[in-house]
Amino acid sequence: YAVIKKDGTYLYLELNALAIYDKDNKFKGFRGISKDITKRVEIDLKKRYDFLSNILDYIPIPVFYKDKDGLYLGVNKSWEKMVGLKREDVINKTVYDIAPKEIANIYHLQDEKVFDLQENPQIYEAEVFNKAKDIRYKVIFNKSAFFDEAGLVSGLIGTIIDVSEITKLEEEKIVNEKIMIQQSKLSSMGEMIDNIAHQWRQPLSTISIASTGAKLQKEM
C-alpha cells in the first residue's frame, strides 16, 4: 500500500500482519511488520512504462497523450514522423509551441471539449502541419479522456489518421467526373451538329447541281 509523506512524496510499503486472539479465542487486534518497497515499485513502474512506450512506438498510427493543462506527456514514432518533431522537443509543450496559431486554436478548443466531457470520445477532421517538410496533412483526430484514481479527468490520449491520399483521390475522382461530363456534352454537341449537317446536305446538293447546270447552260 502507499502512504503520503509530509513532503508530499509517496512511500510504498509491504505489510505482513498476524491476528492476535485472547485465551477465549476472541480477536483482539493484530501485529505486523511493514517493509519499504518503494524502490522495487519504482523499478516495476519504470519497466511497465518502458514496455508500454515500446508498444506505442510499434503502432503504425500516430499516438499522443496530454495532461489536463494541455501539456504533451508523450508521443510515438509515427507521430514524430507525421509532425516532423522529436519527442524531446514536444514533452511539456502545448499545441501553440508546435503548430501554427490557426491550427493550434482548433486543437485547443477541441481538447477543452474532451476535458469538460462535452465530447468523449471525440472525432473530428482537421489539419496537421509538418514543420520539417513545411506541408499540411488532412487528418481525422480520435481523442478520449483518461482519469485518475478519484475518477477525475487527468488528461487525454489521441490518435491521428492521415486521409490526405483519400481526399486527393476523391478530388481527382470529382475532376475526372467533370471531364467525363464535359466530354459527353461535347460528344452530344458533335452528334447534333452532324445531324444538322446531314439535314442540310440534300438541299445543298440540289443547289449545287442546279448551279452547275445553270453555269454549263450559260457557257453553251
Side-chain angles (χ1 to χ4, degrees):
Y1 64 97
V3 295
I4 303 176
K5 296 163 64 176
K6 288 184 178 179
D7 60 4
T9 60
Y10 279 85
L11 185 69
Y12 294 92
L13 303 174
E14 182 180 77
L15 175 65
N16 288 280
L18 180 68
I20 302 173
Y21 301 90
D22 60 16
K23 61 181 180 179
D24 296 323
N25 204 31
K26 290 183 178 181
F27 176 74
K28 293 176 61 178
F30 66 89
R31 61 174 179 264
I33 299 174
S34 290
K35 179 182 177 182
D36 184 356
I37 59 168
T38 304
K39 184 63 68 175
R40 192 176 80 193
V41 170
E42 288 176 349
I43 292 172
D44 183 53
L45 288 174
K46 187 178 184 306
K47 286 181 178 178
R48 293 183 186 182
Y49 176 80
D50 291 341
F51 176 70
L52 290 174
S53 295
N54 288 332
I55 290 177
L56 285 176
D57 278 339
Y58 282 106
I59 295 175
I61 297 175
V63 179
F64 62 93
Y65 41 105
K66 307 175 185 179
D67 66 12
K68 183 68 186 297
D69 297 321
L71 298 176
Y72 282 92
L73 297 174
V75 297
N76 68 348
K77 291 187 180 299
S78 295
W79 189 95
E80 289 180 328
K81 183 178 179 181
M82 173 173 279
V83 181
L85 291 170
K86 292 295 183 183
R87 187 175 311 175
E88 54 269 22
D89 299 326
V90 177
I91 303 302
N92 293 324
K93 300 285 183 66
T94 71
V95 291
Y96 290 98
D97 299 314
I98 67 169
K101 188 175 180 179
E102 71 274 12
I103 295 179
N105 285 336
I106 296 171
Y107 293 173
H108 177 72
L109 179 64
Q110 297 296 341
D111 286 353
E112 289 299 313
K113 290 179 182 179
V114 176
F115 292 142
D116 295 338
L117 301 180
Q118 295 177 28
E119 296 178 6
N120 185 51
Q122 179 190 74
I123 301 175
Y124 67 94
E125 293 184 21
E127 287 185 333
V128 165
F129 176 69
N130 186 301
K131 207 166 186 178
K133 297 179 180 179
D134 193 27
I135 59 175
R136 299 189 181 205
Y137 299 101
K138 290 188 177 181
V139 300
I140 294 176
F141 278 94
N142 290 269
K143 297 178 184 177
S144 182
F146 58 83
F147 305 85
D148 59 20
E149 293 179 355
L152 301 175
V153 175
S154 181
L156 65 79
I157 184 168
T159 62
I160 307 173
I161 300 174
D162 183 6
V163 294
S164 299
E165 288 300 320
I166 297 173
T167 304
K168 184 179 177 182
L169 290 173
E170 287 179 348
E171 289 174 352
E172 289 178 354
K173 182 181 177 183
I174 292 170
V175 171
N176 289 334
E177 286 177 351
K178 287 182 178 179
I179 292 172
M180 289 178 66
I181 291 170
Q182 189 66 21
Q183 288 176 340
S184 177
K185 287 181 179 179
L186 291 172
S187 177
S188 299
M189 190 178 295
E191 289 179 4
M192 183 179 66
I193 292 171
D194 186 60
N195 289 334
I196 293 171
H198 177 74
Q199 295 297 325
W200 277 91
R201 279 195 190 104
Q202 189 173 354
L204 285 173
S205 178
T206 304
I207 293 169
S208 177
I209 293 171
S211 61
T212 303
K215 184 180 179 183
L216 181 61
Q217 187 176 9
K218 181 181 178 183
E219 287 177 354
M220 293 190 63

